[in-house]
């Protein structure tokens, strides 16, 4: 590929995906009841502040690094981009079917917002804004990597099956939903419309 006088590659081969909007629906909202338990329960309204879900397990302006951030010593204080967990009806059904299970519920794996109608939710690019009809806005950080802890939680509901804790991380990769932070506080309710404002993006090589 040719370069200009400044050594920058020309962008003739760059494939840019235009920005667009996709309408979806909020099916369920959930929150943790016990700060020591990542699993969630149904709630009639999910209140969001700049710190996330007040009183929730993942609330806070900052958090401590863990196994997902090997570039920091474990326990390093860092920005909390994982305030809210977002899942989709479609992906949960796909993963359950591929695991040979009748269902996987959002609350079993700590979901906060369950959506329907947004294709391939987990592949939505970072910087996407999820704008809810009531005014709340979530900014997507990226996909949520599945782990054995969530797999073990699923396994508790199917005691006749072994190995679900290991099978889930393999099966749910890139289908385990998104993590996001609160860009605009508000309240999200079941049945509420949500629009994904997907930014212009491209593959960086």
């Amino acid at each position: 590929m040719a370069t200009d006088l400044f050594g920058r590659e020309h962008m003739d081969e760059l494939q840019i995906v235009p920005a667009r909007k996709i309408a979806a629906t909020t099916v369920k909202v959930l929150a943790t009841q016990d700060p020591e338990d990542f699993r969630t329960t149904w709630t009639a309204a999910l209140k969001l502040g700049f710190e996330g879900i007040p009183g929730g397990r993942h609330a806070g302006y900052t958090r401590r690094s863990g196994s997902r951030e090997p570039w920091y010593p474990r326990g390093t204080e860092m920005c909390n981009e994982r305030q809210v967990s977002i899942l989709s009806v479609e992906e949960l059904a796909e993963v359950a079917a591929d695991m040979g299970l009748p269902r996987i519920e959002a609350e079993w794996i700590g979901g906060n917002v369950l959506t329907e109608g947004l294709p391939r939710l987990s592949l939505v690019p970072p910087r996407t804004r999820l704008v809810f009809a009531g005014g709340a806005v979530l900014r997507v950080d990226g996909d949520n990597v599945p782990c054995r802890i969530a797999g073990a939680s699923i396994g508790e509901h199917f005691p006749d099956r072994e190995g679900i804790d290991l099978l889930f991380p393999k099966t749910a990769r890139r289908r385990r939903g998104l993590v996001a932070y609160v860009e605009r506080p508000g309240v999200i309710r079941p049945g509420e419309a949500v629009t994904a404002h997907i930014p212009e993006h491209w593959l960086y090589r």
Side-chain angles (χ1 to χ4, degrees), residues 61-80:
Y61 299 103
T62 64
R63 66 181 181 88
R64 298 290 178 176
S65 63
S67 59
R68 291 183 172 91
E69 298 82 30
W71 44 88
Y72 294 134
R74 186 170 293 219
T76 299
E77 188 175 23
M78 58 178 286
C79 176
N80 184 12

Side-chain angles (χ1 to χ4, degrees), residues 88-111:
S88 82
V89 169
E90 295 88 349
E91 288 182 332
L92 288 179
E94 289 174 4
V95 174
D98 289 347
M99 292 177 65
L101 301 175
R103 72 189 192 284
I104 295 175
E105 300 291 347
E107 49 264 47
W108 300 349
I109 56 175

Side-chain angles (χ1 to χ4, degrees), residues 20-162:
R20 60 177 175 147
K21 299 178 183 179
I22 302 177
T25 303
T26 306
V27 176
K28 189 186 296 186
V29 292
L30 312 104
T32 53
Q33 299 298 317
D34 181 353
E36 300 301 318
D37 189 351
F38 78 99
R39 289 168 291 194
T40 52
T41 58
W42 178 89
T43 181
L46 188 67
K47 297 180 180 180
L48 301 175
F50 282 119
E51 76 278 21
I53 303 169
R57 178 180 173 86
H58 296 289
Y61 299 103
T62 64
R63 66 181 181 88
R64 298 290 178 176
S65 63
S67 59
R68 291 183 172 91
E69 298 82 30
W71 44 88
Y72 294 134
R74 186 170 293 219
T76 299
E77 188 175 23
M78 58 178 286
C79 176
N80 184 12
E81 81 294 357
R82 300 178 59 87
Q83 294 174 337
V84 182
S85 170
I86 307 161
L87 300 168
S88 82
V89 169
E90 295 88 349
E91 288 182 332
L92 288 179
E94 289 174 4
V95 174
D98 289 347
M99 292 177 65
L101 301 175
R103 72 189 192 284
I104 295 175
E105 300 291 347
E107 49 264 47
W108 300 349
I109 56 175
N112 298 123
V113 180
L114 181 65
T115 67
E116 186 173 27
L118 186 54
R120 300 175 299 282
L121 173 74
S122 299
L123 300 182
V124 163
R127 293 180 53 237
T128 293
R129 283 184 173 87
L130 298 178
V131 180
F132 294 83
V137 179
L138 296 177
R139 177 74 79 92
V140 172
D141 177 74
D143 71 312
N144 195 3
V145 179
C147 66
R148 289 186 62 183
I149 296 175
S153 177
I154 296 170
E156 292 176 3
H157 298 270
F158 304 99
D160 56 325
R161 283 280 304 274
E162 295 183 359

